[in-house]
């Protein structure tokens, strides 16, 4: 079994690290420096994902594809896999709705699991499992973040994934369910305070629900992304002044990116909970950097690798597969939980009466 991983960044290397224990792994990227860093995890291939036909031809040489490219390449990569007639798992946070390609994937006889990461990904799996056990949600909430242990002024944030994808979180309208209706809100319109265990954060509503908006029933459903206090007000000012407009973004990056690159190990934290009447069920996840990988790479890449193993182990019908499917099936959910814990990531379940 030969697997091609598209993207040799932190997440792509972590996926290769995990899967190379059982499969023959190849890693494709356009950047020679990233490929050099990935050499210890599999064979490397220099590949320009923006060249569609070249991407299709390369995919045809492999048995299975994993997409770990920035979001702007995600939708095109899915199209390429469909044309190449190759099954795939994708972790990119693409702005497009991947379910639009469901009919094309079915016609090609291709199975593609999308949003197969931390959030979206594990968050969808946990929320869909809760919904499968308890039915329609009065309120479903995802609080999630990847943060530096030692935040540094003035922005109190360290970039742990694509910086352009980071800014898109602040500019892309967020879709949520409110009072049983799908509504769209400005992500930075309201900055809230959130306390999780001994941590105190600020949060903004992010567009991370994605396929959950249509696959489960809820009166209220939303995702909050967590930041250390002080970060979001600065981002809001920059956005209001036009620094995040497309024509200004490259200049903005030159100014703010160095302020978000400093020495500090990171951690990942998430809680997914459902409140209904006087009862609450909650899942808590926590992880720290280790084994030479950032926590964000671990939290994201390990979920991608686990879902890839499921796709290679079980039979699925052709089409676009949202991550919720792995939470709605009891056997698959237990497999995910077991494999997450096996990789030294904390994942706890808690019931309580309110």
């Amino acid at each position: 079994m030969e697997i091609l991983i598209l993207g040799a960044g932190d997440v792509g290397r972590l996926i290769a690290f995990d899967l190379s224990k059982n499969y023959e792994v190849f890693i494709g990227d356009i950047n020679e420096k990233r490929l050099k860093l990935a050499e210890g995890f599999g064979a490397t291939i220099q590949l320009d994902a923006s060249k569609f036909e070249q991407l299709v031809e390369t995919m045809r040489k492999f048995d299975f594809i994993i997409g770990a490219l920035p979001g702007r390449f995600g939708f095109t990569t899915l199209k390429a896999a469909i044309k190449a007639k190759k099954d795939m798992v994708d972790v990119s946070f693409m702005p497009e709705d991947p379910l639009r390609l469901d009919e094309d994937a079915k016609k090609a006889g291709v199975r593609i699991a999308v949003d197969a990461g931390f959030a979206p990904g594990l968050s969808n799996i946990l929320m869909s499992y809760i919904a499968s056990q308890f039915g329609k949600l009065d309120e479903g909430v995802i609080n999630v973040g990847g943060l530096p242990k030692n935040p540094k002024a003035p922005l109190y944030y360290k970039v742990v994934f694509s910086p352009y994808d980071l800014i898109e979180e602040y500019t892309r309208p967020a879709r949520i369910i409110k009072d049983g209706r799908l509504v769209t809100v400005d992500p930075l319109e309201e900055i809230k305070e959130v306390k999780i265990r001994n941590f105190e954060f600020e949060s903004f509503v992010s567009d991370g629900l994605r396929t959950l908006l249509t696959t489960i029933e809820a009166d209220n459903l939303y995702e909050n992304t967590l930041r250390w206090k002080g970060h979001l007000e600065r981002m809001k000012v920059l956005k209001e002044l036009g620094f995040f407009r497309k024509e200004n973004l490259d200049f903005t990056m030159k100014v703010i990116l160095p302020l978000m690159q400093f020495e500090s190990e990171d951690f990942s934290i998430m809680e997914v909970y459902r409140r209904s009447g006087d009862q609450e069920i909650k899942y808590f996840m926590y992880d720290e950097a280790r084994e030479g990988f950032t926590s964000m790479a671990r939290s994201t890449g390990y979920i991608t690798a686990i879902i890839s193993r499921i796709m290679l182990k079980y039979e699925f019908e052709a089409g676009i597969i949202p991550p919720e499917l792995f939470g709605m099936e009891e056997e698959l959910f237990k497999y995910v939980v077991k494999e997450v814990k096996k990789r030294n990531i904390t994942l706890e379940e808690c019931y309580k009466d309110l």
Side-chain angles (χ1 to χ4, degrees), residues 1 10 13 18 20 37 117 130 146 214 219 237 267 277:
M1 171 69 70
D10 290 349
R13 291 196 299 273
D18 188 281
S20 61
L37 292 171
I130 292 171
T214 56
D219 288 328
V237 170
F267 69 98

Side-chain angles (χ1 to χ4, degrees), residues 169 174 176 185 187 190 192 203-207 222-225:
E169 288 189 344
I176 62 173
V185 298
E190 181 183 7
K192 296 172 287 187
S203 72
F204 67 102
V205 178
S206 45
D207 191 43
Y222 50 95
E223 179 192 88
N224 298 317
T225 294

